[in-house]
Amino acid sequence: MTTAIYPGSFDPITNGHLDVVIRAAHVFEKVIIGIYDTPEKKLMFSPQERVDLAYAAAKNTANVEVQLYSGLTVAFAKKVGAQVMVRGLRASADFEFEFDMAMMTNKLAPELEMVCFMASPQYQFLSSSLLKEVARLGGAIDDWVTTNVAYAVKEKVKNLK
Ligand code: ADP
C-alpha cells in the first residue's frame, strides 16, 4: 500500500488544496493531510481549527485522513509510514521553493519520494494568503473554499473589526 502525506499550513484549506487532495487520493491508497502546527507565517486559524476545517472539507473522500504534526516533515512521514510526499505546483509561485524542498527532503530522507501535482487552471492564482486578504477587504470568497471554510473566515474577519 502506498501512503502519501500532503503537508502544509492549510490556513485555511482552499479548493486548490482540495483539488490536489482528491487527485492524490485517486493515485495513492491513503493520503494524509499533514497540518504543520507552527509555520513561520502570520496565521488566521489555530492548529486545531486548521485541522477541523481540513477534516470537514475532505471527509467525503474515503482514503483521506487529517493529522496535526510538529517538527520535521520527514519525521512525520516516517511516523505514519508514508513513502510519498505530495505538493501542489502553481505556475508562477511555487517551482523554486518546491524544488529546494525536494532537494532538502531527498538529503534528509532519500526513501521519501516527492510528487508534485500541477495546480488545475482554475486554481492557479489561489492561495490561502490571497483568500484571507480578499476576505479582509470584503470581497467574495465563496467560489474558492467550502461553505464551512467561507463561514469560518468571515467570522474571523468580523472579529478583527
Ligand atoms: P505552505 O505553507 O507549505 O506553502 P500551503 O498550505 O500554502 O503550504 O500549501 C500546501 C501545498 O499546497 C503546497 O505544496 C502549495 O504549493 C500547494 N498549494 C497551495 N495552493 C494551491 C493551489 N491553489 N493549487 C494547487 N496547489 C496549491
Side-chain angles (χ1 to χ4, degrees), residues 6-11 14 16-17 20 39 41 86-90 94 97-98 101 117 119-120 123-124 126-128:
Y6 180 30
S9 324
F10 301 103
D11 185 53
T14 68
H17 293 128
V20 170
K41 286 181 178 180
V86 163
R87 299 286 289 175
L89 264 191
R90 286 158 294 187
D94 295 325
F97 179 78
E98 298 298 343
M101 174 96 123
F117 284 72
S120 293
Y123 302 129
Q124 283 289 339
L126 178 59
S127 66
S128 298

Side-chain angles (χ1 to χ4, degrees), residues 60-105:
N60 293 329
T61 311
N63 53 335
V64 175
E65 287 177 17
V66 181
Q67 286 193 32
L68 187 65
Y69 77 98
S70 49
L72 279 175
T73 302
V74 292
F76 171 61
K78 199 167 179 187
K79 188 177 130 217
V80 298
Q83 298 87 353
V84 172
M85 173 160 100
V86 163
R87 299 286 289 175
L89 264 191
R90 286 158 294 187
S92 56
D94 295 325
F95 181 76
E96 282 180 24
F97 179 78
E98 298 298 343
F99 189 80
D100 289 352
M101 174 96 123
M103 296 298 108
M104 183 58 85
T105 300

